[in-house]
Amino acid sequence: MLPHATRSGSVPVDGRRSAAPEADRPSARTPALTGPGEHGTLRSRGLAGGLRMFVRPALDKMPATDVSLGRLRALTSGAGRAAALETTNDWSSDGPVPGLWVGRKRFFHSDKVIFHIHGGGFTFGSPWSHKALASRIASETGVPVFLPDYRLAPEHPHPAATEDTLAGWEWLLSMGFRAEDIVVAGDSAGGNLALQLVAALDRDNAPMPAGVVLLSPWVDLDFTDMTARDRARKDPFLAVGLAELCRSQYAPGVDPDDPAISPIKYVPSPDWPPFLIQCGGEEIFSGGIEQLAERFAEHGVRHEFQLWPHQFHVFQVFHPLVPEAKLAVRDIGSFVRGCLRD
């Protein structure tokens, strides 16, 4: 099923134009995907069903121990590394925050870069876990991706991840990249950190990135809405208990209404860069993400919000399997190319 999209302001696009604004994205220029009504394609529904039947129960039963966290870290990193398009390991320890370059050898002469902040509930995930997604985005855009290896909780609780995100941004600038030649991207917890970066740049009146891509961003660390949604219909992938554990390890004792951990509480500015926000209709984060899009519209932030019916959390990582995910990544490419167009 194709996304329900809303826009506010002039949002960059690249490719064939149409008189209808909704026809600018690849997802709006393609024939409707095969699927019964609003239920998505067969592959999409099959994968969501498998996640709900096998993965979600395992995450619900996972004990809150260091051993479990270590296994989760190893599993996510190994899966991302195995699925990546390229086998080269372009690791950089030159800056204050080490990280992984993806696509730099393919697009060596590019003076532009995507600064992608990986997700994982602030407690797991790594540049390796997101190498496959970054590789696909690099191919779609013709732009290399840098994934910072920011510090994780519980070893390094808040504000370590935010500090590393800001340090990684400053390092890219010191490398000679101009702010207007950088697109910031983030998924899940990484989307939270991307918003923290934009808010910090706004406070300092510093140059903004050319654009921001948010994939299923975790923008509200209050669990009231998430718990209600999960009781009404179980999220195929996100386990509320695991998310609560991640929050307690990431920001112990911090008020969930503090914008430093819940960026939904910031008052956005029309001076913020354009945003592309993608969200799965089945995920428990969707309430907070929809509220973020509403706040952007209210405060004049240029943005495009795509709600993909019956998709799950960060469904884009399944781009090799799911037609909707492949199309969503193509939309990301369209947005990024539009932001970085000379």
PDB file of all heavy atoms in Angstrom, residues 136 207 228:
ATOM      1  N   ARG A 136      22.308   1.105   0.717  1.00  0.00           N
ATOM      2  CA  ARG A 136      21.224   1.309  -0.232  1.00  0.00           C
ATOM      3  C   ARG A 136      20.940   2.799  -0.429  1.00  0.00           C
ATOM      4  O   ARG A 136      20.714   3.268  -1.551  1.00  0.00           O
ATOM      5  CB  ARG A 136      19.960   0.590   0.252  1.00  0.00           C
ATOM      6  CG  ARG A 136      18.724   0.858  -0.583  1.00  0.00           C
ATOM      7  CD  ARG A 136      18.911   0.523  -2.043  1.00  0.00           C
ATOM      8  NE  ARG A 136      19.179  -0.894  -2.258  1.00  0.00           N
ATOM      9  CZ  ARG A 136      19.478  -1.447  -3.420  1.00  0.00           C
ATOM     10  NH1 ARG A 136      19.596  -0.669  -4.485  1.00  0.00           N
ATOM     11  NH2 ARG A 136      19.694  -2.738  -3.526  1.00  0.00           N
ATOM     12  N   PRO A 207      24.829  27.326  11.213  1.00  0.00           N
ATOM     13  CA  PRO A 207      24.297  26.880   9.917  1.00  0.00           C
ATOM     14  C   PRO A 207      23.608  25.523  10.033  1.00  0.00           C
ATOM     15  O   PRO A 207      24.073  24.625  10.739  1.00  0.00           O
ATOM     16  CB  PRO A 207      25.550  26.798   9.034  1.00  0.00           C
ATOM     17  CG  PRO A 207      26.521  27.743   9.665  1.00  0.00           C
ATOM     18  CD  PRO A 207      26.269  27.656  11.139  1.00  0.00           C
ATOM     19  N   ALA A 228      -1.031   2.367  25.197  1.00  0.00           N
ATOM     20  CA  ALA A 228      -2.433   2.254  24.769  1.00  0.00           C
ATOM     21  C   ALA A 228      -2.522   1.665  23.366  1.00  0.00           C
ATOM     22  O   ALA A 228      -3.382   0.813  23.091  1.00  0.00           O
ATOM     23  CB  ALA A 228      -3.093   3.632  24.817  1.00  0.00           C
TER      24      ALA A 228
END
